[in-house]
Amino acid sequence: MNNVLLTTDSNDLQARVMEASDGRCIALSALDLPTEPADLLARLGHPSLPDVIVLDATHEPERALALAARIDQDLPGTAVLLIGEPAALAVPAMRVGARDVLPADASAPLLQETLSRVGSLLERRRAHAHPAVLVPDVQGAPGRVITVLSPKGGAGKTTVATNLAIGLAQYAPGAVVLVDLDVQFGDVATALSLQPEFTLEDVVHGAALRDPIAMKTHLTLHDSGLSVVCAPENPVVADSVTPEQVSELLTALARQFRYVVVDTAAGLEPRTLAALDHTTDPLLLTTFDVTGARGLRKEISTLRELGMLTNARQVVLNFADPKSGLGVADVEETIQSRVDITIPHSKAVTTSLNTGTPLLLHRPKDVVSKQLRQLLGVYTNVSEAARENRRSKR
Ligand SMILES: Nc1ncnc2c1ncn2[C@@H]1O[C@H](COP(=O)(O)OP(=O)(O)O)[C@@H](O)[C@H]1O
Ligand SMILES: [Mg+2]
């Protein structure tokens, strides 16, 4: 059974949630909700974290939504339910990562059913979760794992993953590794002009998983200082890499690197799902068109069911074309999620991939590089505006 924290000023709702949670509920006033989850927990005066936080959003929906977003970000092991008008709150609630919206007059059995559904999702998530997902960013904590996903091939995963990793390597020299998990058709090595001595297959079968020094010697180094685990040459052998091995690999790498960037095959195949269990920052990519948006909608709803759609996610639309007649708002409506960054089409991308010269290093002024730097800023907290500023001052 779950411990519930409820914020409300309705005695009646409090009584129903109390009944639905078998008395495992602490209620606080919904007035003057803090914006920081830590402040809410301080009011609780209780050492253990609640499993589910139920926020009564009937009077101050904006504050409740703002707090829900922060809980999603800061306390990924905790689920949020909102109380309010479902028709009005459903979409904003989804955007901030809340699990459900129930009306203020929801019966105790309905509340109980929802709490137990959310509770079993949480349990499933915790059973798979890597400490990196549950422990906030403290010194010595595992590195961030950024996994680039898309429902279909050709959406630009490798383009985004390689450039993001290169950009991070410039920001944190020696502290970034890129893993090509597109085991059969991975082309990270080509994109970065690398001739690997060892590939994914050697790394997961040898001593590297247990020994950090062996690991370092099995990685391929790019001139930028980025370490890379390239995909195997032979697609048949590659398929012998199991999800469990992927899991061990990412655990080992996250202990040694500040950033682990993972490029994946299209869709949610078992190795990608294993990587997701260790992912702190999912990066969802799709083509900016109707079929791309529909595919992403399915992928997002699967991630949401797995409890993996935290606020740390980035949604990126590639091949953006202002003349297509499709707007960002249309895509947001279809995928029921916010879109964070759009990347336009640029010929320079294909040239860079074909010649193995990363765009961010060789064509920094290209429109796509500009958008990639904006994405980079999400993980380094340096905004494109600040960079432009710095550059113009030089
Ligand atoms: N914004 C873009 N503009 C032009 N071409 C692009 C862009 N993004 C990707 N491409 C091209 O599309 C193809 C597929 O990109 P890639 O990154 O390999 O996708 P994925 O890894 O998802 O299959 C490549 O030829 C790449 O050069
Ligand atoms: Mg690819």
Side-chain angles (χ1 to χ4, degrees), residues 150 152-160 182 187 263-264 285 318-319 343-347 349-351 353-354 368:
S150 80
K152 287 193 293 178
K157 288 182 295 303
T158 303
T159 304
V160 168
D182 186 353
D187 45 11
D263 187 15
T264 63
L285 186 72
N318 193 8
F319 300 102
I343 299 179
H345 181 279
S346 161
K347 277 193 190 133
V349 177
T350 319
T351 317
L353 210 61
N354 289 343
V368 172

Side-chain angles (χ1 to χ4, degrees), residues 193-375:
S193 251
L194 296 171
Q195 276 90 37
E197 190 178 339
F198 300 106
T199 67
L200 179 69
E201 192 202 338
D202 310 300
V203 177
V204 299
H205 288 127
L209 287 183
R210 292 179 304 279
D211 177 358
I213 296 175
M215 174 67 90
K216 290 251 153 116
T217 59
H218 276 75
L219 302 174
T220 308
L221 200 60
H222 182 258
D223 290 344
S224 62
L226 171 71
S227 295
V228 185
V229 178
C230 296
E233 284 292 320
N234 180 339
V236 179
V237 179
D239 214 26
S240 71
V241 176
T242 65
E244 290 72 28
Q245 287 167 338
V246 168
S247 201
E248 284 180 60
L249 172 68
L250 295 183
T251 306
L253 291 176
R255 275 200 211 109
Q256 294 171 48
F257 290 88
R258 198 163 143 199
Y259 295 98
V260 182
V261 180
V262 185
D263 187 15
T264 63
L268 293 173
E269 59 114 25
R271 280 172 286 246
T272 305
L273 287 172
L276 271 174
D277 279 346
H278 297 266
T279 297
T280 53
D281 299 74
L283 196 166
L284 301 150
L285 186 72
T286 199
T287 48
F288 197 163
D289 51 37
V290 173
T291 50
R294 288 210 182 115
L296 190 61
R297 179 195 177 120
K298 284 191 205 151
E299 196 160 77
I300 284 187
S301 74
T302 309
L303 292 187
R304 189 172 278 131
E305 263 173 44
L306 293 170
M308 285 170 174
L309 202 70
T310 69
N311 222 23
R313 72 177 182 276
Q314 290 294 305
V315 176
V316 180
L317 301 183
N318 193 8
F319 300 102
D321 174 6
K323 291 189 221 117
S324 72
L326 190 69
V328 170
D330 301 320
V331 177
E332 288 186 325
E333 178 83 37
T334 306
I335 64 174
Q336 299 273 292
S337 166
R338 58 164 210 257
V339 167
D340 299 283
I341 286 171
T342 58
I343 299 179
H345 181 279
S346 161
K347 277 193 190 133
V349 177
T350 319
T351 317
S352 102
L353 210 61
N354 289 343
T355 54
T357 51
L359 198 74
L360 215 53
L361 292 180
H362 297 269
R363 296 289 301 274
K365 290 200 177 142
D366 189 80
V367 275
V368 172
S369 291
K370 192 166 172 230
Q371 294 307 89
L372 287 168
R373 276 195 299 275
Q374 194 183 330
L375 184 63

Side-chain angles (χ1 to χ4, degrees), residues 62-205:
E62 293 307 323
R63 282 186 96 110
L65 285 165
L67 179 59
R70 291 297 311 271
I71 294 170
D72 186 44
Q73 202 169 14
D74 294 1
L75 308 172
T78 303
V80 178
L81 287 180
L82 291 175
I83 302 290
E85 188 49 56
L89 274 183
V91 172
M94 256 184 239
R95 284 203 179 130
V96 297
R99 298 295 156 83
D100 215 336
V101 181
L102 292 177
D105 61 358
S107 65
L110 175 63
L111 285 161
Q112 184 176 19
E113 187 215 301
T114 311
L115 286 173
S116 93
R117 176 164 45 81
V118 169
S120 48
L121 251 177
L122 274 179
E123 264 165 43
R124 260 170 49 206
R125 179 168 183 204
R126 284 177 187 159
H128 292 288
H130 181 250
V133 180
L134 298 177
V135 180
D137 197 12
V138 291
Q139 214 183 5
R144 285 169 85 163
V145 181
I146 304 167
T147 302
V148 183
L149 308 156
S150 80
K152 287 193 293 178
K157 288 182 295 303
T158 303
T159 304
V160 168
T162 48
N163 281 289
L164 180 61
I166 291 271
L168 287 171
Q170 287 184 305
Y171 167 77
V176 186
V177 63
L178 169 63
V179 182
D180 192 350
L181 262 200
D182 186 353
V183 296
Q184 290 195 305
F185 302 109
D187 45 11
V188 164
T190 315
L192 296 177
S193 251
L194 296 171
Q195 276 90 37
E197 190 178 339
F198 300 106
T199 67
L200 179 69
E201 192 202 338
D202 310 300
V203 177
V204 299
H205 288 127

